[in-house]
Amino acid sequence: QTSYGKQLQRVEIVNTSEQKHKASYELVIVGAGPAGLTASLYAQKFGIDHVLIEKNCFPKDKICGDGLAPLVFNILDELNIEIGNDDGFYKINEVEFKFSSNDTEPAYSSNNVSNSRTFNCKRLLFDEFLKEQGENGKHLLTAEVTAIDAENNFIQCQSDGQHFQIKFKFLLLCTGSGRSLLPASEEDYSENLALASRAYVEVESAGRKNFFEFFDEVAPGYLWTFPVSETILNTGVYISSKNFTSRTNSACDNGRT
C-alpha cells in the first residue's frame, strides 16, 4: 500500500515456459521504464509486432525526482491516455531555484507553472500507471537480456534459469543509465557518472512547489525537494561522482546535510 492508499499487487516472476513469446519480432524493446513502456504504446498505436523485455517485476521503484514536465502530457495526449484523480499525480504550481555560494549571497529564481500541466508522481506509481495502459501487460516479458548479437539480429535472454534467443528486425535499448549491454568503448565515461540519494519525508504541509538548490560543494549537482502529495516530500541530492567523498565531507562541514 502506497502513501496514497492505492493498492499495488506485486506481479510474480513466472517461468519462461509459462510466458508467451515468439521466436522473432519486428521490434524488441529492452527495459520497461517510462521510455520502454511509452515505446511499446507507440508500437501498439502503429501496429508494430513487438515484445517489451524487463528483468524486474512490477511494481518497481528507482531513485527519481518524480517530476513530470508538460511535454509528458503532450505525449500522453498523442496516445489518448488520460490521468485520473487516483493515479497519484500531484499538481505543481511553482518551480524555484536557489544558487548558493560560500562567497556570495544566495540568488533565487522562481517560475509560476500553475497554468501548465506540471505534476509530480512517485516513480513506482508512474511506471505502474504506464504498464496498465493499452496492452502493455500483453507485450511484457519478464526476462534478463544477457547478450546482444547485432550482426545476426538476436538477443540472448534468461529467466528462471532458462536460456533462450529472440530475433529482431529493430532493437530499442531503453535501459537508462545501464551500459552493460552496450559495446565496449575506449572512451572514459567516469567523469559523467553521478550518485543520487532520495527519501520520502512526511511533513505537515508539503505545498505545491518544486525546489532546487545548487551550491559549490556538489556542483554540478543539486539538492531537491518535490512534493508528491499534500503531506509527503521527495527530497534528495544528485552529485557528480568525481571527488564525491571530498565534496560530501565539505558539505557536511558546512552544515548543509
Side-chain angles (χ1 to χ4, degrees):
Q1 185 170 0
T2 71
S3 59
Y4 302 103
K6 183 177 180 180
Q7 297 285 343
L8 295 176
Q9 299 298 321
R10 178 167 290 279
V11 179
E12 296 297 332
I13 298 180
V14 299
N15 292 334
T16 303
S17 59
E18 299 175 1
Q19 296 188 91
K20 295 181 179 179
H21 67 86
K22 301 188 300 182
S24 65
Y25 293 88
E26 183 175 2
L27 171 66
V28 168
I29 304 168
V30 181
L37 290 164
T38 303
S40 176
L41 290 169
Y42 273 106
Q44 294 169 51
K45 179 179 180 179
F46 293 107
I48 299 172
D49 180 42
H50 72 286
V51 64
L52 174 62
I53 302 177
E54 169 59 46
K55 66 180 180 180
N56 297 310
C57 60
F58 283 81
K60 57 188 183 65
D61 201 4
K62 183 178 181 180
I63 293 178
C64 184
D66 299 335
L68 301 173
L71 176 60
V72 172
F73 300 94
N74 294 342
I75 292 172
L76 294 181
D77 287 346
E78 286 187 1
L79 295 168
N80 297 317
I81 295 174
E82 296 182 359
I83 63 173
N85 294 328
D86 61 344
D87 289 324
F89 292 85
Y90 187 70
K91 180 70 176 73
I92 298 302
N93 295 329
E94 184 181 1
V95 178
E96 184 178 74
F97 301 88
K98 178 182 178 182
F99 303 90
S100 301
S101 171
N102 295 328
D103 302 324
T104 61
E105 290 294 319
Y108 292 86
S109 176
S110 180
N111 297 302
N112 186 324
V113 295
S114 58
N115 293 326
S116 71
R117 291 188 293 178
T118 303
F119 289 81
N120 292 342
C121 181
K122 281 188 174 182
R123 176 62 184 270
L124 181 143
L125 293 180
F126 187 56
D127 281 17
E128 185 72 15
F129 171 81
L130 290 176
K131 182 179 75 71
E132 296 302 318
Q133 305 306 311
E135 295 185 335
N136 270 344
K138 174 183 174 182
H139 295 276
L140 185 63
L141 173 64
T142 304
E144 181 179 5
V145 177
T146 57
I148 298 173
D149 188 330
E151 291 185 358
N152 297 299
N153 285 52
F154 74 83
I155 56 173
Q156 186 75 34
C157 304
Q158 68 175 11
S159 179
D160 197 34
Q162 300 182 38
H163 298 266
F164 55 97
Q165 293 180 354
I166 296 179
K167 291 188 69 67
F168 60 83
K169 184 176 181 181
F170 299 101
L171 176 67
L172 271 180
L173 286 182
C174 300
T175 54
S177 59
R179 296 182 49 83
S180 60
L181 294 174
L182 298 180
S185 172
E186 296 181 359
E187 187 171 353
D188 182 10
Y189 290 95
S190 60
E191 292 189 0
N192 297 325
L193 297 177
L195 299 165
S197 179
R198 178 208 67 193
Y200 291 111
V201 181
E202 189 169 356
V203 295
E204 184 174 337
S205 177
R208 294 185 180 272
K209 176 173 69 175
N210 283 352
F211 175 76
F212 296 86
E213 180 176 4
F214 298 82
F215 55 91
D216 290 345
E217 288 86 355
V218 299
Y222 52 84
L223 299 175
W224 75 79
T225 56
F226 285 16
V228 292
S229 75
E230 292 183 355
T231 58
I232 297 198
L233 282 173
N234 172 337
T235 180
V237 60
Y238 157 87
I239 181 172
S240 169
S241 62
K242 186 178 181 181
N243 299 325
F244 171 73
T245 302
S246 62
R247 291 184 178 186
T248 303
N249 290 340
S250 177
C252 293
D253 291 342
N254 287 326
R256 297 194 184 275
T257 313

